[in-house]
Protein backbone atom coordinates (compact mmCIF):
# COMPACT_ATOMS: atom_id res chain seq x y z
CA UNK A 1 0.00 0.00 0.00
CA UNK A 2 2.79 2.42 0.89
CA UNK A 3 4.66 1.81 -2.39
CA UNK A 4 1.55 2.56 -4.44
CA UNK A 5 0.87 5.64 -2.36
CA UNK A 6 4.38 6.97 -2.91
CA UNK A 7 4.20 6.40 -6.67
CA UNK A 8 0.85 8.19 -6.97
CA UNK A 9 2.05 11.13 -4.88
CA UNK A 10 5.15 11.55 -7.02
CA UNK A 11 3.16 11.53 -10.26
CA UNK A 12 0.70 14.12 -8.98
CA UNK A 13 3.28 16.27 -7.27
CA UNK A 14 4.80 17.66 -10.44
CA UNK A 15 1.54 19.38 -11.34
CA UNK A 16 0.43 20.45 -7.86
CA UNK A 17 3.63 21.59 -6.25
CA UNK A 18 4.68 20.34 -2.84
CA UNK A 19 2.63 22.49 -0.48
CA UNK A 20 -0.28 20.03 -0.20
CA UNK A 21 1.69 16.80 -0.45
CA UNK A 22 0.88 15.78 3.16
CA UNK A 23 -2.85 15.88 2.48
CA UNK A 24 -2.51 14.25 -0.95
CA UNK A 25 -0.50 11.35 0.44
CA UNK A 26 -2.90 10.83 3.34
CA UNK A 27 -5.89 10.64 0.98
CA UNK A 28 -4.13 8.19 -1.28
CA UNK A 29 -3.11 5.97 1.62
CA UNK A 30 -6.64 5.97 3.06
CA UNK A 31 -8.15 5.09 -0.32
CA UNK A 32 -5.73 2.23 -0.89
CA UNK A 33 -6.28 0.94 2.64
CA UNK A 34 -10.04 0.88 2.10
CA UNK A 35 -9.64 -0.89 -1.25
CA UNK A 36 -7.43 -3.49 0.38
CA UNK A 37 -9.91 -4.02 3.24
CA UNK A 38 -12.72 -4.65 0.76
CA UNK A 39 -10.59 -7.06 -1.21
CA UNK A 40 -9.28 -8.96 1.80
CA UNK A 41 -11.02 -8.71 5.17
CA UNK A 42 -8.65 -8.10 8.10
CA UNK A 43 -8.55 -10.64 10.97
CA UNK A 44 -10.09 -8.08 13.32
CA UNK A 45 -10.73 -4.37 13.69
CA UNK A 46 -7.87 -4.16 16.18
CA UNK A 47 -5.42 -5.56 13.62
CA UNK A 48 -6.73 -3.22 10.93
CA UNK A 49 -6.45 -0.18 13.19
CA UNK A 50 -2.82 -1.02 13.96
CA UNK A 51 -1.92 -1.50 10.30
CA UNK A 52 -3.76 1.68 9.33
CA UNK A 53 -1.95 3.68 12.01
CA UNK A 54 1.44 2.37 10.91
CA UNK A 55 0.85 3.06 7.21
CA UNK A 56 -0.55 6.55 7.78
CA UNK A 57 2.36 7.46 10.04
CA UNK A 58 4.83 6.11 7.49
CA UNK A 59 3.15 8.04 4.71
CA UNK A 60 3.25 11.21 6.82
CA UNK A 61 6.99 10.81 7.42
CA UNK A 62 7.49 10.38 3.70
CA UNK A 63 5.47 13.53 2.90
CA UNK A 64 7.28 15.66 5.49
CA UNK A 65 10.60 14.48 4.10
CA UNK A 66 9.48 15.51 0.61
CA UNK A 67 8.75 19.02 1.83
CA UNK A 68 12.29 19.28 3.09
CA UNK A 69 13.91 18.30 -0.19
CA UNK A 70 15.82 21.05 -2.04
CA UNK A 71 13.52 22.88 -4.43
CA UNK A 72 15.80 22.08 -7.36
CA UNK A 73 15.47 18.32 -6.86
CA UNK A 74 12.58 16.61 -8.62
CA UNK A 75 11.56 13.01 -9.32
CA UNK A 76 12.45 11.87 -12.81
CA UNK A 77 11.66 8.14 -12.83
CA UNK A 78 9.62 5.89 -10.53
CA UNK A 79 9.80 2.09 -10.47
CA UNK A 80 12.35 2.17 -13.29
CA UNK A 81 12.75 -1.40 -14.52
CA UNK A 82 15.75 -2.74 -16.38
CA UNK A 83 16.47 -6.29 -17.47
CA UNK A 84 12.91 -7.43 -16.85
CA UNK A 85 10.11 -8.55 -19.16
CA UNK A 86 8.18 -5.33 -18.70
CA UNK A 87 10.93 -3.09 -20.12
CA UNK A 88 9.65 -0.78 -22.81
CA UNK A 89 13.01 -0.99 -24.57
CA UNK A 90 13.67 -4.55 -25.84
CA UNK A 91 17.43 -3.91 -25.81
CA UNK A 92 17.50 -3.75 -22.00
CA UNK A 93 15.32 -6.78 -21.28
CA UNK A 94 18.26 -9.13 -20.92
CA UNK A 95 19.86 -6.71 -18.49
CA UNK A 96 22.17 -3.72 -18.61
CA UNK A 97 25.55 -4.87 -19.83
CA UNK A 98 28.52 -3.62 -17.81
CA UNK A 99 32.06 -4.18 -19.08
CA UNK A 100 34.57 -5.04 -16.37
CA UNK A 101 38.34 -4.49 -16.24
CA UNK A 102 38.92 -8.22 -16.64
CA UNK A 103 37.36 -8.08 -20.10
CA UNK A 104 34.27 -9.89 -18.92
CA UNK A 105 30.77 -8.43 -18.73
CA UNK A 106 27.87 -8.77 -16.34
CA UNK A 107 24.19 -8.11 -17.01
CA UNK A 108 22.36 -6.23 -14.29
CA UNK A 109 18.63 -6.49 -13.62
CA UNK A 110 16.40 -4.69 -11.16
CA UNK A 111 13.85 -1.98 -10.42
CA UNK A 112 14.98 1.41 -9.16
CA UNK A 113 12.34 2.88 -6.86
CA UNK A 114 13.13 6.48 -7.66
CA UNK A 115 15.54 8.66 -9.64
CA UNK A 116 15.79 12.38 -8.91
CA UNK A 117 17.29 15.03 -11.14
CA UNK A 118 19.16 17.40 -8.85
CA UNK A 119 19.42 21.16 -9.18
CA UNK A 120 23.03 20.80 -10.40
CA UNK A 121 21.89 18.62 -13.31
CA UNK A 122 23.19 15.35 -11.84
CA UNK A 123 21.10 12.44 -10.60
CA UNK A 124 20.46 10.61 -7.36
CA UNK A 125 18.94 7.22 -6.68
CA UNK A 126 16.65 6.46 -3.75
CA UNK A 127 15.48 3.01 -2.75
CA UNK A 128 12.66 2.81 -0.21
CA UNK A 129 13.18 0.49 2.75
CA UNK A 130 10.51 -0.31 5.33
CA UNK A 131 12.88 -1.93 7.80
CA UNK A 132 15.48 -0.84 10.35
CA UNK A 133 18.09 1.68 9.25
CA UNK A 134 20.75 1.05 11.88
CA UNK A 135 22.97 -1.04 9.63
CA UNK A 136 23.34 1.80 7.12
CA UNK A 137 26.01 4.24 8.27
CA UNK A 138 27.35 7.44 6.75
CA UNK A 139 30.70 6.91 5.09
CA UNK A 140 30.32 3.11 4.88
CA UNK A 141 28.55 2.54 1.55
CA UNK A 142 29.55 -1.11 1.18
CA UNK A 143 29.79 -2.17 4.84
CA UNK A 144 32.19 -5.01 4.01
CA UNK A 145 29.99 -6.31 1.23
CA UNK A 146 26.62 -6.12 2.99
CA UNK A 147 25.26 -3.23 0.92
CA UNK A 148 25.19 -3.92 -2.79
CA UNK A 149 21.95 -2.51 -4.18
CA UNK A 150 22.87 1.18 -4.43
CA UNK A 151 26.11 0.34 -6.28
CA UNK A 152 24.36 -1.92 -8.79
CA UNK A 153 21.65 0.65 -9.41
CA UNK A 154 24.15 3.47 -9.88
CA UNK A 155 26.17 1.57 -12.46
CA UNK A 156 23.03 0.50 -14.31
CA UNK A 157 21.44 3.96 -14.30
CA UNK A 158 24.48 5.72 -15.75
CA UNK A 159 24.46 3.33 -18.68
CA UNK A 160 20.71 3.64 -19.17
CA UNK A 161 20.83 7.44 -19.14
CA UNK A 162 23.64 7.56 -21.69
CA UNK A 163 21.42 5.63 -24.11
CA UNK A 164 18.50 8.01 -23.59
CA UNK A 165 18.23 11.37 -25.34
CA UNK A 166 18.08 14.55 -23.28
CA UNK A 167 20.00 13.38 -20.22
CA UNK A 168 23.50 14.67 -20.96
CA UNK A 169 26.32 12.66 -19.52
CA UNK A 170 23.96 10.98 -17.08
CA UNK A 171 26.24 11.21 -14.04
CA UNK A 172 24.90 9.69 -10.84
CA UNK A 173 26.10 11.78 -7.90
CA UNK A 174 24.40 9.96 -5.02
CA UNK A 175 22.78 6.59 -4.52
CA UNK A 176 21.17 5.36 -1.32
CA UNK A 177 18.12 4.60 0.76
CA UNK A 178 15.17 6.19 2.53
CA UNK A 179 13.60 4.54 5.60
CA UNK A 180 10.14 6.10 6.14
CA UNK A 181 8.79 3.61 8.69
CA UNK A 182 8.92 3.96 12.46
CA UNK A 183 11.70 1.37 12.59
CA UNK A 184 13.67 3.34 10.03
CA UNK A 185 13.12 6.65 11.81
CA UNK A 186 12.52 8.57 8.58
CA UNK A 187 16.26 8.48 7.80
CA UNK A 188 17.71 9.04 4.36
CA UNK A 189 21.20 7.71 3.76
CA UNK A 190 22.79 8.76 0.47
CA UNK A 191 26.28 7.69 -0.56
CA UNK A 192 28.55 9.52 -2.99
CA UNK A 193 28.67 7.39 -6.10
CA UNK A 194 31.84 6.61 -8.03
CA UNK A 195 31.31 4.47 -11.11
CA UNK A 196 34.80 2.95 -11.24
CA UNK A 197 34.70 1.90 -7.57
CA UNK A 198 31.22 0.43 -7.94
CA UNK A 199 32.22 -1.56 -11.04
CA UNK A 200 35.30 -2.89 -9.24
CA UNK A 201 33.09 -3.96 -6.32
CA UNK A 202 30.65 -5.71 -8.67
CA UNK A 203 33.54 -7.46 -10.42
CA UNK A 204 34.81 -8.78 -7.09
CA UNK A 205 31.35 -10.12 -6.26
CA UNK A 206 31.33 -11.79 -9.66
CA UNK A 207 34.57 -13.57 -8.82
CA UNK A 208 32.99 -15.01 -5.69
CA UNK A 209 29.97 -16.25 -7.65
CA UNK A 210 32.16 -17.68 -10.41
CA UNK A 211 34.36 -19.56 -7.95
CA UNK A 212 31.50 -20.56 -5.65
CA UNK A 213 33.38 -19.48 -2.53
CA UNK A 214 30.39 -18.92 -0.25
CA UNK A 215 32.11 -19.38 3.09
CA UNK A 216 30.80 -18.90 6.59
CA UNK A 217 31.53 -15.44 7.99
CA UNK A 218 30.54 -15.54 11.64
CA UNK A 219 31.01 -12.87 14.28
CA UNK A 220 31.48 -15.18 17.25
CA UNK A 221 27.82 -15.23 18.31
CA UNK A 222 26.19 -18.51 17.33
CA UNK A 223 22.81 -17.57 18.81
CA UNK A 224 22.57 -14.20 17.17
CA UNK A 225 24.41 -15.21 14.01
CA UNK A 226 26.32 -12.69 11.95
CA UNK A 227 24.73 -10.13 9.67
CA UNK A 228 26.07 -11.98 6.66
CA UNK A 229 25.04 -15.47 7.71
CA UNK A 230 21.64 -14.13 8.73
CA UNK A 231 21.01 -13.08 5.13
CA UNK A 232 21.81 -16.50 3.69
CA UNK A 233 18.87 -18.69 2.67
CA UNK A 234 20.94 -21.83 3.24
CA UNK A 235 22.28 -21.08 6.72
CA UNK A 236 20.12 -23.88 8.16
CA UNK A 237 22.40 -26.47 6.50
CA UNK A 238 25.60 -24.73 7.56
CA UNK A 239 26.94 -25.51 11.00
CA UNK A 240 27.64 -22.16 12.65
CA UNK A 241 30.76 -22.71 14.69
CA UNK A 242 31.04 -19.21 16.06
CA UNK A 243 34.76 -19.30 15.33
CA UNK A 244 35.75 -15.88 13.92
CA UNK A 245 39.44 -16.56 14.62
CA UNK A 246 39.29 -19.70 12.49
CA UNK A 247 37.59 -17.89 9.63
CA UNK A 248 40.13 -15.05 9.78
CA UNK A 249 43.03 -17.51 9.78
CA UNK A 250 41.62 -19.30 6.74
CA UNK A 251 41.31 -16.03 4.84
CA UNK A 252 44.88 -14.99 5.69
CA UNK A 253 46.44 -18.36 4.88
CA UNK A 254 44.74 -18.57 1.49
CA UNK A 255 46.93 -15.83 -0.02
CA UNK A 256 45.87 -15.23 -3.61
CA UNK A 257 43.86 -18.44 -3.75
CA UNK A 258 40.13 -18.91 -4.16
CA UNK A 259 39.30 -16.87 -1.05
CA UNK A 260 41.10 -13.75 -2.26
CA UNK A 261 37.88 -12.30 -3.70
CA UNK A 262 36.12 -12.76 -0.36
CA UNK A 263 38.96 -10.88 1.33
CA UNK A 264 38.64 -8.05 -1.21
CA UNK A 265 34.94 -7.66 -0.51
CA UNK A 266 35.61 -7.46 3.22
CA UNK A 267 37.97 -4.55 2.53
CA UNK A 268 35.16 -2.47 1.06
CA UNK A 269 33.83 -0.10 3.69
Amino acid sequence: VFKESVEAVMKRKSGKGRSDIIEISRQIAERLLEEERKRRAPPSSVVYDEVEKEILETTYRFAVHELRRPSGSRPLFLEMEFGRGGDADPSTRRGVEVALESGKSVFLKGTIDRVNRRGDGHYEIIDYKTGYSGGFQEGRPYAKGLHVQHAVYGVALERLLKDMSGYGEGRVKYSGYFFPSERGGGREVLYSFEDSEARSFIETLGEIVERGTFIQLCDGSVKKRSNRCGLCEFSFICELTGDPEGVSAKLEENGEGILSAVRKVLDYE
Side-chain angles (χ1 to χ4, degrees):
V1 172
F2 174 67
K3 283 259 186 180
E4 292 183 30
S5 177
V6 169
E7 184 175 13
V9 168
M10 289 295 92
K11 287 181 177 178
R12 294 179 64 183
K13 191 182 76 169
S14 59
K16 283 180 167 286
R18 293 194 285 189
S19 61
D20 57 353
I21 192 171
I22 293 177
E23 180 61 21
I24 291 172
S25 62
R26 183 188 63 79
Q27 292 175 2
I28 291 171
E30 288 178 344
R31 174 177 57 79
L32 292 173
L33 278 164
E34 184 60 27
E35 290 175 1
E36 181 66 14
R37 182 165 65 171
K38 290 179 179 178
R39 188 181 70 85
R40 183 174 55 185
S44 69
S45 60
V46 174
V47 171
Y48 179 82
D49 289 344
E50 283 297 315
V51 172
E52 180 185 46
K53 178 175 179 291
E54 179 182 357
I55 290 176
L56 291 178
E57 288 179 351
T58 298
T59 303
Y60 177 78
R61 272 187 289 271
F62 157 76
V64 170
H65 191 75
E66 284 302 303
L67 289 174
R68 294 172 179 167
R69 286 194 184 281
S71 58
S73 176
R74 62 181 180 85
L76 189 65
F77 300 109
L78 299 170
E79 299 291 344
M80 185 181 189
E81 288 191 342
F82 57 96
R84 299 184 183 276
D87 285 14
D89 183 358
S91 66
T92 63
R93 288 180 187 167
R94 66 172 181 167
V96 175
E97 184 175 6
V98 178
L100 305 175
E101 291 185 6
S102 64
K104 298 179 181 179
S105 294
V106 294
F107 291 88
L108 306 177
K109 299 183 179 183
T111 302
I112 302 174
D113 284 344
R114 174 172 172 172
V115 177
N116 288 339
R117 191 201 292 268
R118 294 165 45 85
D120 58 9
H122 295 308
Y123 305 95
E124 65 185 16
I125 295 169
I126 298 174
D127 190 74
Y128 294 105
K129 299 294 185 187
T130 57
Y132 179 58
S133 65
F136 295 78
Q137 301 174 19
E138 302 288 347
R140 297 191 67 213
Y142 299 102
K144 297 186 180 294
L146 283 176
H147 303 156
V148 178
Q149 194 172 15
H150 68 281
V152 170
Y153 284 177
V155 170
L157 180 62
E158 288 207 340
R159 279 142 189 82
L160 288 169
L161 291 174
K162 287 177 181 178
D163 292 335
M164 300 166 66
S165 61
Y167 295 98
E169 292 300 317
R171 180 170 179 265
V172 176
K173 195 166 187 178
Y174 297 102
S175 184
Y177 312 90
F178 178 50
F179 301 82
S181 69
E182 182 178 4
R183 292 182 64 202
R187 286 184 65 212
E188 183 172 84
V189 183
L190 295 180
Y191 300 112
S192 296
F193 177 78
E194 294 294 338
D195 181 73
S196 59
E197 182 182 46
R199 281 191 294 112
S200 177
F201 177 67
I202 291 171
E203 182 162 18
T204 304
L205 293 177
E207 290 178 29
I208 294 175
V209 174
E210 187 176 32
R211 295 174 176 180
T213 49
F214 305 109
I215 69 169
Q216 178 189 121
L217 292 170
C218 54
D219 61 1
S221 174
V222 177
K223 291 183 179 180
K224 186 177 180 181
R225 302 196 300 182
S226 73
N227 288 336
R228 295 170 184 81
C229 291
L231 295 171
C232 179
E233 295 180 354
F234 303 99
S235 59
F236 68 95
I237 62 173
C238 179
E239 182 181 356
L240 293 175
T241 62
D243 181 17
E245 292 80 10
V247 172
S248 298
K250 184 182 293 185
L251 286 169
E252 292 172 3
E253 292 171 2
N254 188 249
E256 293 302 313
I258 63 172
L259 298 184
S260 60
V262 177
R263 191 165 55 251
K264 290 178 185 176
V265 166
L266 295 178
D267 286 338
Y268 278 91
E269 289 291 342

